[in-house]
Amino acid sequence: MFVSAFFFAFLGIVIMLFFLLPVRFRPAILLVSSYVFCGFVEIRALMVLVIISFSTWAIGLKIEKLRTGGNIFFSKVCVITAVVIYCFILCGYKYLPCILTRFGGGQMPEGVLKQFIMPVGLSFYMFQAIGYLADIYQGKSRAERSFLLFGCHLSFFPKLVSGPIERERDFLPQLKSLSKVKAWDRGRLSTAFTYMLWGYFMKMVVADRLAVTVNKIFDNPGGFDSFWLIVGMLFYTIQIYCDFAGYSYIAIGCAKIFGLTLTQNFKAPYLADSISDFWRRWHVSLSTWLRDYIYIPLGGNRKGVIRKCVNTLAVFLICGMWHGSGMNFIIWGLLHGFYSIVETVLRKIGWKGQGGQIVTFFSVAFAWIFFRADNAAAGFAYVGRMFTAGVNLGEWNTMGRALALNRVEIGVTLIGITVIWLVDSLCNRKKLHLPVLIQYKENASRYFVFYLLIMAIFIFGIYGPGYHAEQFIYMQF
């Protein structure tokens, strides 16, 4: 959605309404705008969003009333019942299409299956709803009295489709302070603009360009040798990062226009020196949610190494299942669970993590094969051929033509990847994200970066007549 003409027109209208109308209307403007955005994407998704928002708001008030009134047992029953129902709804949408297709012999009518396709954003705001109810039960948060504010918390349009998964204690106080946001704040708007530019660069110049090659390799792995299959694996590794991080940066930039701060979902993840470090940097809002609401309640690392390994494997199994119903997602999750267990054992026997950055990168890249594959069988077939096909130099020209690669495409692709790596390395050293980092530079330097990014997007971005921008990968989850 962020790369469509509709979004730019929609965002412009929302900004004008937000800053031109009286400040007391700002929460209502954001809520209505978010519902309009959701309804434009899919009207059925809007119905589900409104139902989940209202029920979570009402249940939260009930849980707090029971807990403060001393009815701990009934408040526990209430929260457990709500969480079970929400998990059932989420699993139903994720797994019913697969079940119906399998037991229907693959002949289920398309109209029937369409009714069970998961509404956009469901996984993300459902996790927020579950976390919200759990926090109220545990006394970590107060139930929000205003449905207007709570509804905006769940449905805020920049984060609706693919997160971040925000906590109510971080986001709701910001919504209550919307009246203090100034229409003109040079620092805030400059930072917001930079976040969005950097996100569009990652998405349109790097991710979508890589997608063209990646799709051709994964759609026909039998037509390529081991070298090109490794290239496909590495290109997808960069593609999914630039695609999802690009979305997150655009979302952060959009939110910042309205004076709202979203969670930084990515912190140079491919510079991690271990799997645990990778998950502290990758999809931060999801990994911390899994840690706080699943791993720690299971016992975390408080009950010995064996229990820690079991808990870790359970968390990554759930993480894989959250991403999709296919066995390939479960394999992806279990691979990361296996990596984490191996790391735990190695650290237990004194491993210091030498060479960890390279090992971690290629371990993560290997697991991405199953994430990208259409199913588990396709993933295993890809891996098998990658290790056995060998290198056929005589066919490289043919393979290159099949991938529509020329010197210009290869050059732009490699330069784009290099820029991402250099920026991540710089920001990792400075402990700041690029949009924040360049605010400390002189105006000339900052405007030069703007100019370069804008020119790169317009000249090298993948868009235009006859081209349909690749959908953000995480929209399907």
Side-chain angles (χ1 to χ4, degrees):
M1 289 300 297
F2 286 169
V3 293
S4 67
F6 161 78
F7 178 75
F8 291 109
F10 172 81
L11 180 61
I13 293 171
V14 176
I15 291 172
M16 286 191 293
L17 293 174
F18 185 87
F19 288 111
L20 292 179
L21 294 180
V23 294
R24 66 179 182 275
F25 295 133
R26 287 180 175 179
I29 290 169
L30 291 185
L31 179 61
V32 173
S33 300
S34 298
Y35 283 168
V36 170
F37 180 82
C38 183
F40 180 84
V41 175
E42 185 187 10
I43 191 65
R44 182 176 59 95
L46 174 59
M47 296 171 60
V48 175
L49 173 62
V50 172
I51 292 171
I52 295 298
S53 298
F54 186 80
S55 61
T56 304
W57 172 71
I59 293 169
L61 291 173
K62 185 65 176 179
I63 291 172
E64 183 174 80
K65 182 178 180 180
L66 290 170
R67 189 180 65 81
T68 55
N71 293 321
I72 304 299
F73 174 76
F74 287 107
S75 66
K76 186 175 184 178
V77 170
C78 190
V79 71
I80 290 176
T81 301
V83 170
V84 168
I85 292 173
Y86 283 0
C87 289
F88 180 79
I89 293 172
L90 190 57
C91 291
Y93 274 116
K94 281 186 176 292
Y95 289 93
L96 264 180
C98 179
I99 294 172
L100 290 173
T101 300
R102 178 168 297 180
F103 288 96
Q107 302 297 319
M108 292 297 293
E110 184 177 345
V112 174
L113 285 176
K114 189 175 181 180
Q115 299 303 314
F116 293 99
I117 295 175
M118 190 169 64
V120 66
L122 180 66
S123 293
F124 293 91
Y125 64 75
M126 195 69 92
F127 267 28
Q128 289 179 99
I130 291 172
Y132 171 76
L133 296 179
D135 285 348
I136 293 174
Y137 169 72
Q138 294 173 354
K140 296 179 180 178
S141 298
R142 294 287 307 276
E144 177 53 50
R145 267 57 184 170
S146 168
F147 175 75
L148 188 65
L149 293 175
F150 179 76
C152 193
H153 162 61
L154 280 196
S155 63
F156 183 49
F157 69 90
K159 69 180 181 68
L160 172 66
V161 176
S162 299
I165 301 170
E166 293 293 339
R167 308 293 180 91
E168 70 285 344
R169 54 183 175 270
D170 297 324
F171 199 66
L172 278 171
Q174 297 184 65
L175 293 174
K176 295 176 181 178
S177 301
L178 287 176
S179 60
K180 300 177 183 178
V181 179
K182 298 178 181 179
W184 179 253
D185 182 330
R186 185 176 178 183
R188 188 188 83 243
L189 295 177
S190 175
T191 305
F193 183 61
T194 313
Y195 268 114
M196 295 183 72
L197 275 182
W198 183 237
Y200 281 115
F201 174 84
M202 295 183 78
K203 168 63 176 172
M204 299 175 69
V205 177
V206 183
D208 283 355
R209 187 173 296 278
L210 289 172
V212 176
T213 302
V214 168
N215 291 344
K216 291 177 180 178
I217 294 176
F218 272 85
D219 288 347
N220 181 31
F224 301 93
D225 64 10
S226 295
F227 172 81
W228 285 108
L229 292 176
I230 293 172
V231 168
M233 174 188 74
L234 296 177
F235 274 16
Y236 183 69
T237 299
I238 306 300
Q239 179 202 346
I240 192 170
Y241 168 51
C242 290
D243 188 281
F244 194 17
Y247 172 96
S248 296
Y249 281 126
I250 296 170
I252 291 170
C254 289
K256 199 162 285 292
I257 293 173
F258 304 105
L260 298 170
T261 300
L262 299 181
T263 300
Q264 294 284 358
N265 240 352
F266 294 90
K267 301 176 179 179
Y270 292 150
L271 298 180
D273 59 8
S274 66
I275 289 298
S276 57
D277 187 30
F278 172 78
W279 281 100
R280 283 191 290 268
R281 298 165 176 262
W282 177 274
H283 203 171
V284 174
S285 62
L286 174 64
S287 59
T288 54
W289 193 97
L290 292 171
R291 178 198 66 196
D292 293 346
Y293 298 107
I294 297 179
Y295 180 70
I296 291 177
L298 286 175
N301 57 3
R302 301 188 303 274
K303 299 183 179 181
V305 175
I306 294 178
R307 182 64 179 272
K308 176 185 178 181
C309 292
V310 172
N311 293 341
T312 298
L313 203 60
V315 167
F316 280 110
L317 174 62
I318 293 171
C319 183
M321 295 175 67
W322 179 83
H323 281 88
S325 59
M327 184 58 67
N328 54 313
F329 291 108
I330 293 177
I331 293 171
W332 171 79
L334 291 177
L335 274 172
H336 276 275
F338 172 74
Y339 296 157
S340 298
I341 290 173
V342 170
E343 179 185 308
T344 298
V345 174
L346 288 176
R347 291 191 184 281
K348 194 70 177 177
I349 61 177
W351 179 65
K352 301 299 183 182
Q354 295 87 347
Q357 193 173 109
I358 296 174
V359 173
T360 300
F361 176 81
F362 280 96
S363 298
V364 170
F366 178 80
W368 282 133
I369 293 174
F370 291 94
F371 196 93
R372 172 58 180 80
D374 293 333
N375 50 58
F380 282 117
Y382 191 103
V383 170
R385 182 163 178 80
M386 186 173 71
F387 284 110
T388 61
V391 177
N392 190 351
L393 294 176
E395 296 295 326
W396 274 22
N397 287 336
T398 302
M399 296 175 195
R401 285 194 297 271
L403 295 173
L405 288 176
N406 54 45
R407 292 181 180 180
V408 174
E409 286 295 316
I410 294 173
V412 172
T413 299
L414 294 180
I415 290 172
I417 293 173
T418 302
V419 169
I420 297 297
W421 180 78
L422 289 174
V423 169
D424 273 7
S425 298
L426 174 64
C427 295
N428 189 55
R429 291 199 306 272
K430 298 292 186 178
K431 305 300 180 185
L432 291 171
H433 289 265
L434 177 66
V436 177
L437 182 62
I438 70 169
Q439 303 307 316
Y440 295 100
K441 304 298 180 181
E442 298 288 338
N443 285 344
S445 300
R446 188 164 62 250
Y447 294 147
F448 182 64
V449 172
F450 292 166
Y451 174 79
L452 289 179
L453 289 176
I454 292 171
M455 288 298 101
I457 292 169
F458 276 101
I459 296 173
F460 301 112
I462 304 294
Y463 63 92
Y467 175 77
H468 298 284
E470 285 286 319
Q471 192 63 274
F472 284 97
I473 293 174
Y474 263 70
M475 280 190 69
Q476 63 183 299
F477 307 130

